[in-house]
Amino acid sequence: MLTNSRIAYHRHDHKRCINAALCRARELCDARKARLTPIRETVLKTIWASHRPLGAYEIVDQMSQSETSAHRVLPPTVYRAIQFLVDQGLIHRLSSLNAYIGCPFPGNYHSDFFLICEQCGSTAECSDDQVDHAVINAAGRANFQVGSKVIEIVGICPECRG
Amino acid sequence: MLTNSRIAYHRHDHKRCINAALCRARELCDARKARLTPIRETVLKTIWASHRPLGAYEIVDQMSQSETSAHRVLPPTVYRAIQFLVDQGLIHRLSSLNAYIGCPFPGNYHSDFFLICEQCGSTAECSDDQVDHAVINAAGRANFQVGSKVIEIVGICPECRG
DNA sequence: GAAAAGATGTTACTTTGTATCGTTTACTCT
DNA sequence: AGAGTAAACGATACAAAGTAACATCTTTTC
Ligand SMILES: [Zn+2]
Ligand SMILES: [Zn+2]
Ligand SMILES: [Zn+2]
Ligand SMILES: [Zn+2]
């Protein structure tokens, strides 16, 4: 099972998460000749500020406050950057929260699901063949051809259980 | 595996689905001393008009047009009925679509997931131990205690594959 | 029948997400 | 380098989804 739950749910040097994510994003975009512009990078950095999913308007607020640039960042700007980052697999959307979270393993193909802590909000991403197969199997029995999956688990993280 | 996919994805006498759902809803609410008022029943019937999930504002429109009563039904009315029906387990919300669908097996406890056809929109509900266990297992390996799950699979239904 | 609880009507509002169009920036090709 | 094209951004306005608050009406309880 591929997961960042060991990191996300425990004390760690989060600056390394951020650096790694930005670094990897630059690499990937470079390789794909996709343009990771300053705005897009700022949105990505803002989302990576923690392991808690961030709503689009939270991103708007964060960027409007903390940014050096004078003018307020507007929703379409942020949504466009979000779209780009989702397309590049650098962030994921959590449907059940209307929020976005950084992907810890962009580039590698992974069919992922999420563990969302209902106490602290921290969210880990997992990729597990067992889950994958179980779903494809169940769908297959209904003669249903699986395209994409949304799997979001809400519960209590190890840290919050103590 | 418990599922209504054999029915939902194939030609069938849908009036029987509707009747069964309304009948079961009355029974359940009666047993629980919950009040299935005319509005709530109308919302339930509107959602059960097909096996395609219906958005809240689609329900508003449907009810405003087809209803005998003169005045337009307003969003809070519908949302309140939706809340009641979700609480009673008579309908489910599909996060990835912001839409609602009737539950074919209300009353019985079931941890369910959904197969959403991206062509025709028809959606089947499934409940499968394999999937359940795989998810709980994966979460367990991350020391994560599962509360509720959102599992929504998008793909092609048997009918649309031909 | 009075009091309490529950359901509905109504207004106004919040949150989330887009369409559109004009301008600017970056890449491409000579 | 400079014209031409494509991509990105700024700004306004809007659509879609969901809710808070309060008044009114209905049902239940005692
Ligand atoms: Zn971190
Ligand atoms: Zn937690
Ligand atoms: Zn049917
Ligand atoms: Zn179909």
Side-chain angles (χ1 to χ4, degrees):
Chain A
M1 187 175 71
L2 183 60
T3 177
N4 67 334
S5 62
R6 290 283 138 193
I7 294 172
Y9 292 135
H10 298 91
R11 188 166 292 118
H12 66 284
D13 181 5
H14 186 58
K15 274 173 199 141
R16 299 194 55 168
C17 294
I18 299 174
N19 283 339
L22 291 179
C23 223
R24 191 94 184 81
R26 286 186 204 111
E27 275 174 29
L28 278 172
C29 289
D30 211 50
R32 296 168 181 168
K33 299 193 197 310
R35 289 163 57 190
L36 187 63
T37 63
I39 286 183
R40 289 166 177 174
E41 199 171 308
T42 305
V43 169
L44 182 58
K45 207 188 315 186
T46 305
I47 289 174
W48 266 105
S50 77
H51 290 275
R52 294 207 345 271
L54 220 55
Y57 278 72
E58 290 182 288
I59 299 170
V60 168
D61 291 343
Q62 285 299 316
M63 284 178 66
S64 295
Q65 284 168 22
S66 72
E67 212 175 11
T68 49
S69 89
H71 61 289
R72 181 171 176 76
V73 179
L74 295 169
T77 304
V78 168
Y79 275 103
R80 281 189 287 234
I82 286 174
Q83 188 58 57
F84 171 86
L85 296 169
V86 168
D87 289 346
Q88 297 298 325
L90 297 170
I91 64 173
H92 298 294
R93 179 172 204 274
L94 297 176
S95 297
S96 64
L97 300 176
N98 294 338
Y100 303 87
I101 192 160
C103 174
F105 346 100
N108 320 335
Y109 169 76
H110 52 283
S111 160
D112 36 40
F113 63 96
F114 299 91
L115 304 176
I116 305 168
C117 178
E118 66 192 6
Q119 300 252 331
C120 66
S122 282
T123 294
E125 179 172 341
C126 305
S127 186
D128 180 60
D129 284 345
Q130 303 272 109
V131 172
D132 249 32
H133 287 149
V135 167
I136 290 176
N137 236 308
R141 257 170 287 153
N143 261 315
F144 189 95
Q145 184 182 337
V146 173
S148 60
K149 326 185 195 45
V150 170
I151 306 185
E152 300 171 15
I153 315 296
V154 176
I156 315 269
C157 79
E159 198 70 10
C160 289
R161 284 207 292 178
Chain B
M1 186 174 71
L2 183 61
T3 177
N4 67 335
S5 61
R6 291 283 138 193
I7 295 173
Y9 292 134
H10 299 91
R11 188 166 293 120
H12 67 284
D13 181 6
H14 186 57
K15 275 175 198 140
R16 299 195 55 166
C17 293
I18 299 174
N19 282 339
L22 290 179
C23 222
R24 191 92 184 83
R26 286 187 204 111
E27 275 173 30
L28 277 172
C29 288
D30 211 50
R32 295 168 182 167
K33 300 192 196 311
R35 289 163 57 187
L36 187 62
T37 64
I39 286 183
R40 289 165 177 176
E41 200 171 308
T42 305
V43 170
L44 183 58
K45 207 187 314 186
T46 305
I47 290 174
W48 266 105
S50 78
H51 291 274
R52 294 205 348 270
L54 220 55
Y57 278 74
E58 290 181 287
I59 299 170
V60 168
D61 291 343
Q62 285 299 315
M63 286 178 65
S64 295
Q65 284 168 24
S66 73
E67 212 175 11
T68 50
S69 89
H71 61 288
R72 182 172 175 74
V73 179
L74 295 169
T77 303
V78 168
Y79 275 104
R80 282 189 285 233
I82 285 173
Q83 188 57 57
F84 171 87
L85 296 169
V86 168
D87 288 347
Q88 297 296 325
L90 296 169
I91 62 173
H92 299 293
R93 178 174 204 274
L94 296 176
S95 297
S96 63
L97 300 176
N98 293 338
Y100 304 86
I101 191 160
C103 174
F105 348 99
N108 320 336
Y109 169 76
H110 52 283
S111 160
D112 35 42
F113 62 97
F114 299 91
L115 304 176
I116 306 168
C117 178
E118 67 192 7
Q119 300 252 333
C120 67
S122 282
T123 295
E125 179 172 341
C126 305
S127 186
D128 180 59
D129 284 346
Q130 303 271 108
V131 171
D132 249 33
H133 288 149
V135 166
I136 290 175
N137 235 309
R141 258 170 287 154
N143 261 315
F144 189 95
Q145 183 182 338
V146 173
S148 60
K149 326 186 196 45
V150 170
I151 306 185
E152 299 171 16
I153 315 296
V154 176
I156 315 270
C157 79
E159 198 70 10
C160 290
R161 285 206 292 178

